[in-house]
Coordinates of all heavy atoms in Angstrom, one line a residue:
N441 N 90.4 100.3 108.8 CA 89.4 99.3 108.4 C 89.9 97.9 108.4 O 91.0 97.7 108.8 CB 88.7 99.8 107.1 CG 89.8 99.9 106.0 OD1 90.6 99.1 105.7 ND2 89.8 101.1 105.4
F442 N 89.1 97.0 107.9 CA 89.5 95.6 107.7 C 90.5 95.5 106.6 O 90.1 95.7 105.4 CB 88.2 94.8 107.5 CG 88.5 93.3 107.2 CD1 88.7 92.5 108.3 CD2 88.5 92.8 105.9 CE1 89.0 91.1 108.1 CE2 88.7 91.4 105.7 CZ 89.0 90.6 106.8
E443 N 91.7 95.2 106.9 CA 92.8 95.1 105.9 C 93.0 93.7 105.4 O 94.0 93.1 105.5 CB 94.1 95.7 106.5 CG 95.2 95.8 105.6 CD 94.9 96.3 104.2 OE1 94.1 97.3 104.1 OE2 95.4 95.8 103.2
W444 N 91.9 93.1 104.9 CA 91.9 91.8 104.2 C 92.6 90.8 105.1 O 92.2 90.6 106.2 CB 92.5 92.0 102.8 CG 91.8 93.0 102.0 CD1 92.3 94.3 101.7 CD2 90.4 93.0 101.6 NE1 91.3 95.0 101.0 CE2 90.2 94.3 100.9 CE3 89.4 92.1 101.6 CZ2 89.0 94.6 100.3 CZ3 88.2 92.4 101.0 CH2 88.0 93.6 100.4
A445 N 93.6 90.1 104.6 CA 94.3 89.0 105.3 C 95.0 89.5 106.6 O 95.3 88.6 107.4 CB 95.2 88.3 104.4
F446 N 95.2 90.8 106.7 CA 95.8 91.3 107.9 C 94.8 91.8 109.0 O 95.2 92.4 110.0 CB 96.8 92.4 107.5 CG 97.9 92.0 106.7 CD1 97.9 92.1 105.3 CD2 99.0 91.3 107.3 CE1 99.0 91.7 104.5 CE2 100.1 90.9 106.5 CZ 100.1 91.1 105.1
G447 N 93.6 91.6 108.7 CA 92.5 91.9 109.7 C 92.6 93.4 110.1 O 92.8 94.3 109.3
Y448 N 92.4 93.6 111.4 CA 92.3 95.0 111.9 C 93.6 95.5 112.5 O 93.6 96.6 113.1 CB 91.2 95.1 113.0 CG 89.8 94.8 112.4 CD1 89.2 93.6 112.5 CD2 89.2 95.8 111.6 CE1 88.0 93.3 111.9 CE2 88.0 95.5 111.0 CZ 87.4 94.3 111.1 OH 86.2 94.1 110.5
E449 N 94.7 94.8 112.4 CA 96.0 95.2 113.1 C 96.6 96.4 112.3 O 97.2 97.3 112.9 CB 96.9 94.1 113.1 CG 98.3 94.4 113.8 CD 99.3 93.3 113.7 OE1 100.0 93.2 112.7 OE2 99.4 92.5 114.7
R450 N 96.5 96.4 111.0 CA 97.2 97.4 110.2 C 96.2 98.6 109.9 O 95.1 98.4 109.4 CB 97.6 96.8 108.8 CG 98.3 95.4 109.0 CD 99.6 95.5 109.8 NE 100.1 94.1 110.2 CZ 100.9 93.4 109.5 NH1 101.3 93.8 108.3 NH2 101.3 92.2 110.0
R451 N 96.7 99.8 110.3 CA 95.8 100.9 110.2 C 96.3 101.9 109.1 O 97.3 102.5 109.1 CB 95.8 101.7 111.5 CG 95.2 100.9 112.7 CD 95.2 101.6 114.0 NE 94.5 100.9 115.0 CZ 93.2 101.0 115.3 NH1 92.4 101.8 114.5 NH2 92.6 100.3 116.2
F452 N 95.5 102.0 108.0 CA 95.7 102.8 106.9 C 95.0 104.2 106.9 O 95.2 105.0 106.0 CB 95.3 102.1 105.6 CG 96.4 101.2 105.0 CD1 96.4 99.8 105.4 CD2 97.3 101.6 104.1 CE1 97.4 99.0 104.9 CE2 98.2 100.7 103.6 CZ 98.3 99.4 104.0
G453 N 94.1 104.4 107.8 CA 93.2 105.5 107.8 C 93.9 106.8 108.1 O 94.9 106.9 108.9
V454 N 93.3 107.9 107.6 CA 93.6 109.3 108.2 C 92.7 109.6 109.3 O 92.8 110.7 109.9 CB 93.6 110.4 107.1 CG1 94.7 110.1 106.1 CG2 92.3 110.5 106.4
V455 N 91.7 108.7 109.6 CA 90.8 108.8 110.7 C 91.0 107.5 111.5 O 90.9 106.4 110.9 CB 89.4 109.0 110.3 CG1 88.5 108.9 111.5 CG2 89.2 110.3 109.6
H456 N 91.3 107.6 112.8 CA 91.4 106.4 113.7 C 90.0 105.8 114.0 O 89.1 106.6 114.3 CB 92.2 106.8 114.9 CG 92.5 105.7 115.9 ND1 91.5 105.2 116.8 CD2 93.6 104.9 116.0 CE1 92.1 104.2 117.5 NE2 93.3 104.0 117.0
V457 N 89.9 104.5 114.0 CA 88.7 103.9 114.4 C 89.0 103.0 115.7 O 89.9 102.1 115.6 CB 88.1 103.0 113.3 CG1 86.8 102.3 113.8 CG2 87.7 103.9 112.1
D458 N 88.3 103.2 116.7 CA 88.4 102.3 117.9 C 87.3 101.3 117.6 O 86.1 101.5 117.7 CB 88.0 103.1 119.2 CG 88.1 102.3 120.4 OD1 87.8 101.0 120.3 OD2 88.4 102.8 121.5
Y459 N 87.7 100.1 117.3 CA 86.8 99.0 116.9 C 85.9 98.5 118.0 O 84.8 97.9 117.8 CB 87.5 97.9 116.3 CG 88.3 98.3 115.0 CD1 89.7 98.3 115.0 CD2 87.6 98.7 113.9 CE1 90.3 98.7 113.8 CE2 88.2 99.0 112.7 CZ 89.6 99.0 112.7 OH 90.3 99.4 111.6
S460 N 86.3 98.8 119.3 CA 85.4 98.4 120.4 C 84.3 99.3 120.6 O 83.2 98.9 121.1 CB 86.2 98.2 121.7 OG 86.8 99.5 122.0
T461 N 84.4 100.6 120.3 CA 83.4 101.6 120.5 C 82.9 102.2 119.2 O 81.9 102.9 119.1 CB 83.9 102.7 121.4 OG1 85.0 103.4 120.7 CG2 84.4 102.2 122.7
Q462 N 83.6 102.0 118.1 CA 83.4 102.6 116.8 C 83.6 104.2 116.8 O 83.2 104.9 115.9 CB 82.0 102.3 116.2 CG 81.8 100.9 115.9 CD 82.7 100.4 114.7 OE1 83.2 101.2 113.9 NE2 83.0 99.1 114.7
K463 N 84.3 104.6 117.8 CA 84.6 106.1 117.8 C 85.7 106.4 116.8 O 86.7 105.7 116.6 CB 85.2 106.5 119.2 CG 85.5 108.0 119.3 CD 86.0 108.3 120.7 CE 86.3 109.8 120.8 NZ 86.8 110.2 122.1
R464 N 85.4 107.5 116.0 CA 86.3 108.0 115.0 C 87.1 109.2 115.6 O 86.5 110.1 116.3 CB 85.6 108.5 113.8 CG 85.2 107.5 112.8 CD 84.1 106.6 113.2 NE 83.4 105.9 112.0 CZ 83.0 104.7 112.0 NH1 83.1 103.9 113.1 NH2 82.4 104.2 110.9
T465 N 88.4 109.2 115.4 CA 89.3 110.3 115.9 C 90.1 110.7 114.7 O 90.9 110.0 114.0 CB 90.3 109.8 117.0 OG1 89.5 109.3 118.1 CG2 91.1 110.9 117.4
I466 N 90.0 112.0 114.4 CA 90.7 112.6 113.2 C 92.2 112.6 113.5 O 92.7 113.1 114.6 CB 90.3 114.0 113.0 CG1 88.7 114.1 112.8 CG2 91.0 114.6 111.8 CD1 88.2 113.4 111.7
K467 N 93.0 112.0 112.7 CA 94.5 112.0 112.8 C 95.1 113.3 112.4 O 94.4 114.1 111.6 CB 95.1 110.8 112.1 CG 94.6 109.5 112.6 CD 95.2 108.3 111.8 CE 94.6 107.0 112.1 NZ 95.2 105.9 111.4
R468 N 96.3 113.6 112.8 CA 97.0 114.8 112.4 C 97.1 114.9 110.9 O 97.0 116.0 110.3 CB 98.4 114.9 113.1 CG 99.2 116.1 112.7 CD 98.5 117.4 113.2 NE 99.4 118.5 113.1 CZ 99.0 119.8 112.9 NH1 97.6 120.0 113.0 NH2 99.8 120.8 112.8
S469 N 97.3 113.8 110.2 CA 97.4 113.8 108.7 C 96.2 114.4 108.1 O 96.3 115.3 107.2 CB 97.7 112.4 108.2 OG 96.7 111.5 108.6
A470 N 95.0 114.0 108.6 CA 93.7 114.5 108.0 C 93.6 116.0 108.3 O 93.1 116.8 107.5 CB 92.6 113.8 108.6
E471 N 94.0 116.4 109.5 CA 93.9 117.9 109.9 C 94.8 118.7 108.9 O 94.4 119.8 108.5 CB 94.4 118.1 111.3 CG 93.5 117.5 112.4 CD 94.1 117.5 113.8 OE1 95.3 117.9 113.9 OE2 93.4 117.2 114.7
L472 N 96.0 118.2 108.5 CA 96.8 118.9 107.6 C 96.3 119.0 106.2 O 96.5 120.0 105.5 CB 98.2 118.4 107.7 CG 98.9 118.6 109.1 CD1 100.3 117.9 109.1 CD2 99.1 120.1 109.4
V473 N 95.7 117.9 105.8 CA 95.1 117.9 104.5 C 93.9 118.9 104.4 O 93.8 119.7 103.5 CB 94.6 116.4 104.1 CG1 93.7 116.5 102.8 CG2 95.7 115.5 103.9
E474 N 93.1 118.9 105.5 CA 92.1 119.9 105.6 C 92.6 121.3 105.5 O 92.0 122.2 104.8 CB 91.3 119.7 106.9 CG 90.2 120.7 107.1 CD 89.6 120.6 108.5 OE1 90.1 119.8 109.4 OE2 88.5 121.3 108.8
K475 N 93.7 121.6 106.2 CA 94.3 122.9 106.3 C 94.7 123.3 104.9 O 94.5 124.4 104.4 CB 95.5 122.9 107.2 CG 96.2 124.2 107.3 CD 97.3 124.1 108.4 CE 98.1 125.4 108.5 NZ 99.0 125.7 107.4
F476 N 95.4 122.4 104.2 CA 95.8 122.7 102.8 C 94.6 123.0 101.9 O 94.7 124.0 101.1 CB 96.6 121.5 102.2 CG 96.8 121.6 100.7 CD1 97.5 122.6 100.1 CD2 96.2 120.6 99.9 CE1 97.6 122.6 98.7 CE2 96.3 120.6 98.6 CZ 97.0 121.7 98.0
L477 N 93.6 122.2 102.0 CA 92.4 122.4 101.1 C 91.8 123.8 101.4 O 91.3 124.5 100.5 CB 91.4 121.3 101.3 CG 91.9 120.0 100.6 CD1 91.0 118.8 101.1 CD2 91.9 120.1 99.1
Q478 N 91.8 124.2 102.7 CA 91.2 125.5 103.0 C 92.1 126.6 102.4 O 91.5 127.6 101.9 CB 91.2 125.6 104.6 CG 90.1 124.8 105.2 CD 90.2 124.8 106.7 OE1 91.2 125.2 107.3 NE2 89.1 124.4 107.4
E479 N 93.4 126.4 102.5 CA 94.3 127.4 101.9 C 94.1 127.5 100.4 O 94.1 128.6 99.8 CB 95.7 127.1 102.2 CG 96.1 127.2 103.7 CD 97.5 126.8 104.0 OE1 98.2 126.4 103.1 OE2 97.9 126.9 105.2
R480 N 94.0 126.3 99.7 CA 93.8 126.3 98.3 C 92.5 127.0 97.9 O 92.4 127.7 96.9 CB 93.9 124.9 97.8 CG 93.9 124.8 96.2 CD 94.1 123.4 95.7 NE 92.9 122.6 95.9 CZ 92.8 121.4 95.4 NH1 93.8 120.8 94.8 NH2 91.7 120.7 95.5
K481 N 91.4 126.7 98.6 CA 90.1 127.3 98.4 C 90.2 128.8 98.5 O 89.6 129.6 97.7 CB 89.1 126.7 99.3 CG 87.7 127.1 99.0 CD 86.7 126.4 99.9 CE 85.2 126.8 99.5 NZ 84.2 126.1 100.4
A482 N 90.9 129.3 99.5 CA 91.0 130.7 99.8 C 91.8 131.4 98.7 O 91.5 132.6 98.4 CB 91.7 131.0 101.1

Side-chain angles (χ1 to χ4, degrees):
N441 54 54
F442 177 78
E443 183 45 42
W444 307 109
F446 294 99
Y448 294 102
E449 182 186 84
R450 315 294 167 93
R451 294 182 176 271
F452 275 89
V454 295
V455 175
H456 182 278
V457 177
D458 182 330
Y459 296 112
S460 63
T461 65
Q462 292 297 337
K463 181 179 180 180
R464 276 72 158 145
T465 301
I466 307 298
K467 300 180 187 180
R468 179 64 173 155
S469 57
E471 294 174 350
L472 293 177
V473 171
E474 178 189 7
K475 179 176 179 289
F476 164 65
L477 287 169
Q478 289 173 343
E479 292 175 2
R480 190 174 73 174
K481 186 176 181 179

